[in-house]
Amino acid sequence: MDTTAELGSFLRTRRAGLRPEDVGLVAYGTRRRVPGLRREELAQLAGVSVAYYTRLEQGQSTGASDGVLDALARALRLSQDERAHLGNLARPPRAGRRPARRAESARPATRRLLAAMDGVPAVVLGLRFDVLAWNPLGHALIAGHLPAGAPERPADRPNTQRMLFLDSHTRELYPDWTGEARRAVSSLRVVAGAHPDDRRLAELIGELSMKSEEFAALWSRHPVRRCAFGTKSFHHPLVGPLELDFEMTRLPDSGGQALLMYGAEPGSPSEAALRLLSREAVAFHAP
């Protein structure tokens, strides 16, 4: 990934999202050629020269100091996730020969943990959002239309990003598909910024940009947010509506793998539907 181009895109989208009055500046005149703040206005707020900021936005300056990045983050009112993303883009790791990444796999201990999570949909995701493993209920919840053994085939594993944008069954699973898509792209942006030299990640982004206009439009807006917890709505083909909490926990020493778990509020209709789905999943996975 070209981090200099991505840095410019990120700064421009954030600059365009702020109006002078939002940051306490007086806007003289009503005609502005571009939306949001002008470069000189942002430079003034951040306390840097217009020439330096222009070079930064155009990818002609690298190695910005912490002070400059902090000042820009304050001026642009960046979130913590966006501030970290800005740092990744402004100071990417030095290019060099890196060992080829081996195919990801879930650790045996992690697989045993999945098997022990009875009644809890759980999925292990790789760095690039490949499904590395799932328990029967996790499979039934997010991809019951796919073979249960699909994560065991590294060449064509399910990928939650690809499924969301390119798989019609997955699209129908989410009543608020647009919100889910926005959340997915925000998470992918975080990972892409932290791993700009990952070839397979770049290939995934390129594939989705070519095959999905909706992905390309969302990607161009440069959303950045770690979506590690929250609530998701489902319309499951077997049990109907579900409102589930989710938590995504990074697994230590795993190269970026995460454990994604879902749960329902006790006593709710979603809990009853999840129990029904659990029975269906057990029956489906029975030898």
Side-chain angles (χ1 to χ4, degrees):
M1 183 175 70
D2 184 353
T3 53
T4 56
E6 291 295 317
L7 174 61
S9 171
F10 179 65
L11 289 171
R12 284 190 295 273
T13 59
R14 294 308 180 272
R15 182 164 59 83
L18 289 174
R19 299 172 301 175
E21 54 266 35
D22 293 333
V23 293
L25 295 178
V26 178
Y28 295 101
T30 58
R31 299 187 62 182
R32 299 174 69 88
R33 291 185 301 171
V34 295
L37 296 179
R38 297 188 177 103
R39 285 175 178 166
E40 56 268 27
E41 291 170 334
L42 179 56
Q44 175 188 342
L45 287 170
V48 299
S49 71
V50 177
Y52 177 78
Y53 175 76
T54 300
R55 290 197 303 272
L56 194 65
E57 193 174 279
Q58 293 179 343
Q60 298 172 0
S61 180
T62 59
S65 68
D66 286 340
V68 167
L69 296 181
D70 287 340
L72 286 172
R74 287 193 299 272
L76 290 169
R77 300 188 173 183
L78 300 185
S79 68
Q80 184 176 351
D81 290 338
E82 290 171 328
R83 168 64 181 85
H85 186 67
L86 173 63
N88 287 332
L89 296 180
R91 294 187 302 204
R94 290 185 179 180
R97 186 177 181 85
R98 295 177 179 271
R101 288 184 181 270
R102 288 185 284 182
E104 292 183 283
S105 62
R107 292 189 293 248
T110 304
R111 293 176 179 275
R112 290 193 292 271
L113 177 63
L114 281 181
M117 297 175 72
D118 186 36
V120 177
V123 180
V124 177
L125 297 176
L127 173 69
R128 309 171 194 90
F129 300 92
D130 292 326
V131 177
L132 306 183
W134 48 28
N135 63 5
L137 190 49
H139 168 232
L141 176 65
I142 71 166
H145 63 292
L146 298 180
E152 306 306 321
R153 301 192 297 268
D156 59 349
R157 277 175 172 150
N159 178 282
T160 56
Q161 297 276 344
R162 189 179 287 114
M163 289 165 58
L164 185 62
F165 287 95
L166 304 181
D167 183 273
S168 60
H169 294 278
T170 304
R171 179 182 287 263
E172 293 172 359
L173 188 61
Y174 298 100
D176 181 18
W177 182 88
T178 301
E180 186 65 20
R182 191 179 300 114
R183 179 157 42 193
V185 173
S186 298
S187 297
L188 185 58
R189 271 289 185 188
V190 171
V191 176
H195 301 274
D197 60 343
D198 189 292
R199 179 179 57 83
R200 288 185 56 199
L201 189 61
E203 289 172 351
L204 172 65
I205 295 166
E207 176 192 358
L208 294 176
S209 297
M210 290 293 292
K211 294 181 178 179
S212 171
E213 292 182 1
E214 292 156 315
F215 176 88
L218 284 171
W219 188 256
S220 69
R221 297 172 195 164
H222 221 121
V224 178
R225 185 164 65 94
R226 292 184 183 274
C227 302
F229 63 92
T231 303
K232 293 189 182 186
S233 297
F234 297 84
H235 187 80
H236 198 276
L238 294 180
V239 299
L242 289 160
E243 191 83 7
L244 302 178
D245 300 320
F246 75 92
E247 294 274 350
M248 184 180 292
T249 302
R250 291 292 166 186
L251 298 173
D253 301 323
S254 65
Q257 295 178 20
L259 177 62
L260 174 61
M261 300 162 286
Y262 296 91
E265 182 180 350
S268 67
S270 293
E271 185 186 42
L274 201 56
R275 283 199 302 267
L276 177 58
L277 184 60
S278 181
R279 291 196 291 271
E280 295 283 346
V282 169
F284 180 81
H285 285 259

